[in-house]
Amino acid sequence: MNIFVLVKRTFDSEERIQLVDGQVSGEDATFVINPYDEFALEEALCLREAHGGTVTAVSLATTEAEKELRLALAMGADQAVLIDAENIPPLDPAVTANILANYLHSCQPDIVLVGNASIDSGSGQVGPRVAQLLHIPCITAVTALEVENGVARFSRDTEGAGEVLQTSLPFLMTCQQGLNEPRYPSLQGIMKAKKKPLATVDAVGFHTSGAASVTTVAILLPEKKQPVKILAGSLDEQVDQLVALVKGQV
């Protein structure tokens, strides 16, 4: 089974970030594998353990993403590919999907796994766009997967209910929280990762679409919330304070 996992390098949402000229500053930010992509990687490893085959982690990024790809190898991926986007115009979902699909087209994947969305842009478009370009079924926001005899069954949550879908291989699936619990890389895995193949290819050779169709106008931090006002005193005094707050007198 030829399994590919699309991995994105994102900033750690638990760390404090800084914006410089409307962009996240990479100087002090901590970067990690996009958390939803970790679900995809874990599911790929479970599929390989159950059915055999190889797991390849693929990232479209600059060379800084080698750290995250090495982490994917330490978690258990067999090999990794960095599609170097250094010489590509700003990436939007259309350009990103075009490059990834062109690369995957020559790899003949049985299964492509990707996170349901990235925690930075959160568009959730790349997976479905790649599937459309590869002309394979796409199942999104999957919370459970079973594969047997070349047929896959998917469970996904819908508003107030659930849904079960079925398709044959090949397919692309986006992975939702709850699908699994990603494993931590072991010391042995970290040591083995240093010897696993990590290839680098130039994204220019896979870029056949036009310029980015989406322009980022600005990235803004959330507005600071006003401090909570705690009412003190007797009940009547608290009521008077509350009325004054509603009227804007305090």
Side-chain angles (χ1 to χ4, degrees):
M1 190 175 288
N2 199 12
I3 308 169
F4 285 79
V5 183
L6 305 184
V7 175
K8 185 175 184 181
R9 178 180 188 257
T10 61
F11 56 82
D12 189 345
S13 61
E14 296 183 0
E15 297 289 335
R16 193 175 189 86
I17 64 171
Q18 293 183 346
L19 298 180
V20 177
D21 297 328
Q23 298 293 326
V24 177
S25 173
E27 185 173 343
D28 297 320
T30 301
F31 288 87
V32 296
I33 294 176
N34 176 49
Y36 288 98
D37 295 345
E38 289 186 340
F39 298 130
L41 180 58
E42 175 63 27
E43 196 65 19
L45 298 176
C46 292
L47 286 169
R48 183 192 62 193
E49 291 166 358
H51 304 284
T54 59
V55 173
T56 304
V58 180
S59 185
L60 173 61
T62 56
T63 53
E64 285 86 353
E66 288 185 3
K67 172 178 171 287
E68 285 67 40
L69 286 174
R70 286 293 178 193
L71 179 58
L73 292 171
M75 290 174 68
D78 299 292
Q79 55 195 16
V81 177
L82 172 65
I83 305 177
D84 190 352
E86 186 70 37
N87 299 315
I88 293 294
L91 296 172
D92 70 351
V95 174
T96 299
N98 173 265
I99 294 172
L100 290 171
N102 285 336
Y103 171 77
L104 291 171
H105 182 73
S106 62
C107 301
Q108 297 183 329
D110 295 307
I111 299 175
V112 181
L113 301 175
V114 61
N116 192 52
S118 59
I119 62 171
D120 48 11
S121 63
S123 71
Q125 293 186 35
V126 171
R129 283 177 177 270
V130 169
Q132 182 183 33
L133 292 169
L134 292 176
H135 305 290
I136 60 176
C138 176
I139 301 85
T140 58
V142 174
T143 56
L145 169 67
E146 296 178 4
V147 178
E148 187 175 356
N149 298 325
V151 177
R153 289 173 59 87
F154 314 85
S155 298
R156 43 181 277 170
D157 295 330
T158 58
E159 292 187 15
E163 188 175 42
V164 177
L165 305 171
Q166 179 174 302
T167 188
S168 57
L169 278 63
F171 64 84
L172 183 146
M173 180 182 96
T174 73
C175 303
Q176 179 63 288
Q177 186 175 3
L179 176 63
N180 53 49
E181 188 65 34
R183 68 192 69 184
Y184 290 101
S186 64
L187 178 59
Q188 184 180 20
I190 294 172
M191 298 303 294
K192 286 183 177 180
K194 297 178 180 179
K195 298 180 180 180
K196 290 182 179 180
L198 196 167
T200 300
V201 296
D202 194 339
V204 172
F206 301 98
H207 182 216
T208 57
S209 67
S213 57
V214 176
T215 301
T216 301
V217 177
I219 299 176
L220 306 174
L221 291 173
E223 294 184 5
K224 292 184 178 180
K225 296 182 179 180
Q226 295 295 326
V228 175
K229 178 73 173 180
I230 299 178
L231 305 181
S234 67
L235 180 59
D236 290 340
E237 290 173 337
Q238 292 181 37
V239 170
D240 291 339
Q241 294 174 52
L242 180 58
V243 172
L245 285 169
V246 172
K247 292 182 176 180
Q249 297 175 359
V250 177

